Amino acid sequence: MTRTRKAGVGLAVALGLLLCAELLFRGVLLLDPSLGQRVADHRAYYAPMADLPNISYEPHPYWVFNATPGQPGVNSWGFNFDETPLERTPGVMRVLTLGGSSTAGPQAWPYHLGEVLRERYGQEVEIINLGTGGWTSAESTVAYVMLGQSFSPDVVVLHHANNDIDPLRRADFRPDYAHYRKPIALERDELGRLRVRLKAAYVIDSNLVRLSSLYVYLRLWVIGDRHTLYTLDTLATIESSDMVENADDNTRIFERNFVTVGTLVRATGGELVLTTIPHTESDQPDWAPWLDRQNQRVLEIAERHGYPSVALHEEPFPVEWFEDPIHVNDALVV
């Protein structure tokens, strides 16, 4: 028997054994519905996907990512505000907002703020909302330097606290946030469609997850319920579990980001306003004490540098206004 034939026979035997093991394991899943449900849940919520039909973010060369233009409520810049020229319209107040997911969205609080200002002052108001889900103060700072200040806003409202907690707590902290962020692994194909820059290992892993319940079980045994989906977190965030209990030394960079924006705003005759981030009292997440401390830092930064501030976390917002511990829903009244 030739070496090639021996290899072919060996491969056939190996594949046959794997198929038998797969069929036996599927029999086990029929006898143990709870294990079968765990395998199904892991496949649906944690394991990789080969196809990404609805990608809501795209890479940006300077602030990592923003929303994909062309989605409902997203303009050509990749943000949730009406198409607005850089040049000011005489007599029109212009307010620019910066923040993470609690600021992003066509109906988020910046939209309501604009409605209130129009009613209160009886004049037209333009809202430039650069809020983007997942952004830290680092992305917002760069976005204001590279784009936001070009709109020459009268007021800039900075709404950041919670998204900086993770990068500030990491033991390998770097002031440029390169310990936390990585280039988002998306690109446009020849037709302009976004796609993931797939690695061979990812393709193999994704297909095995779809085909083999035994493989999914082995993944659970080796890595547990850890996300490997191409979500925004896995695309743009470097994983780490090495955290420090006292991040006070790192928070000077958090303050630096605020002051950088504030200095630029004041240089063009505008005013920076800092706001804290509320969270519901009924469902306390484990990071709530960290958010309370971050909110306090925001107020301390405002006091040190003379920025007006709004302590939203001290307001008794109704629980029904929250769709989760930190995000308000459409019932929000500004």
Side-chain angles (χ1 to χ4, degrees):
M1 185 180 293
T2 65
R3 182 176 300 177
T4 301
R5 188 176 179 185
K6 287 181 179 179
V9 171
L11 179 60
V13 171
L15 291 175
L17 291 174
L18 289 174
L19 179 59
C20 289
E22 175 68 21
L23 293 174
L24 287 172
F25 183 72
R26 292 192 181 192
V28 171
L29 296 184
L30 292 175
L31 296 174
D32 187 348
S34 63
L35 179 59
Q37 188 61 51
R38 189 178 180 197
V39 168
D41 289 344
H42 185 77
R43 178 181 276 125
Y45 302 114
Y46 297 96
M49 297 181 296
D51 301 317
L52 296 175
N54 298 307
I55 300 177
S56 58
Y57 290 87
E58 70 171 18
H60 190 278
Y62 297 109
W63 50 75
V64 190
F65 60 88
N66 51 232
T68 304
Q71 298 181 93
V74 180
N75 64 18
S76 59
W77 296 104
F79 298 104
N80 299 123
F81 64 93
D82 294 336
E83 295 291 350
T84 306
L86 296 178
E87 297 75 18
R88 293 289 303 268
T89 302
V92 176
M93 179 187 300
R94 183 169 279 187
V95 179
L96 186 144
T97 59
L98 295 165
S101 58
S102 56
T103 302
Q107 297 291 318
W109 65 262
Y111 167 81
H112 297 281
L113 175 63
E115 294 293 299
V116 169
L117 292 175
R118 293 182 189 99
E119 181 179 349
R120 182 169 299 176
Y121 294 103
Q123 69 177 86
E124 184 56 34
V125 177
E126 293 175 339
I127 299 294
I128 310 297
N129 183 6
L130 299 189
T132 301
W135 270 15
T136 69
S137 64
E139 286 81 40
S140 285
T141 300
V142 177
Y144 189 76
V145 171
M146 301 297 293
L147 177 63
Q149 65 175 328
S150 298
F151 286 97
S152 303
D154 299 296
V155 178
V156 174
V157 183
L158 190 55
H159 189 62
H160 268 298
N162 59 302
N163 286 349
D164 284 80
I165 293 173
D166 188 3
L168 291 174
R169 289 188 59 201
R170 296 196 177 189
D172 58 348
F173 178 80
R174 286 178 44 150
D176 60 357
Y177 280 42
H179 66 295
Y180 179 73
R181 284 294 187 219
K182 61 183 179 181
I184 190 167
L186 292 172
E187 62 186 5
R188 291 196 178 273
D189 63 18
E190 61 278 2
L191 298 178
R193 298 171 301 191
L194 278 173
R195 64 183 181 185
V196 176
R197 293 196 298 271
L198 295 177
K199 296 181 180 179
Y202 176 86
V203 175
I204 294 171
D205 189 25
S206 179
N207 283 293
L208 285 174
V209 162
R210 287 210 311 270
L211 296 172
S212 172
S213 295
L214 178 59
Y215 180 77
V216 174
Y217 177 74
L218 292 174
R219 280 177 110 261
L220 275 166
W221 186 59
V222 173
I223 69 173
D225 283 327
R226 180 170 62 83
H227 280 280
T228 56
L229 285 169
Y230 264 138
T231 62
L232 183 61
D233 281 340
T234 55
L235 284 168
T237 306
I238 299 170
E239 291 188 8
S240 175
S241 59
D242 191 7
M243 300 291 183
V244 298
E245 287 302 316
N246 187 343
D248 288 344
D249 289 343
N250 299 338
T251 55
R252 70 187 188 279
I253 303 301
F254 181 65
E255 180 169 354
R256 177 208 65 185
N257 294 340
F258 280 50
V259 174
T260 298
V261 174
T263 301
L264 292 172
V265 173
R266 285 178 170 174
T268 56
E271 184 71 77
L272 177 67
V273 178
L274 304 186
T275 67
T276 59
I277 294 182
H279 63 81
T280 177
E281 298 293 333
S282 63
D283 184 15
Q284 288 281 341
D286 57 4
W287 43 256
W290 286 93
L291 178 56
D292 291 336
R293 181 66 186 113
Q294 281 290 90
N295 280 331
Q296 188 57 41
R297 288 190 179 103
V298 170
L299 298 179
E300 292 167 359
I301 292 170
E303 183 176 2
R304 273 195 295 272
H305 299 278
Y307 303 134
S309 62
V310 182
L312 293 176
H313 72 295
E314 296 177 356
E315 297 294 326
F317 293 134
V319 172
E320 58 268 21
W321 283 12
F322 290 85
E323 62 184 36
D324 61 33
I326 198 170
H327 295 98
V328 296
N329 55 34
D330 290 341
L332 172 65
V333 178
V334 179

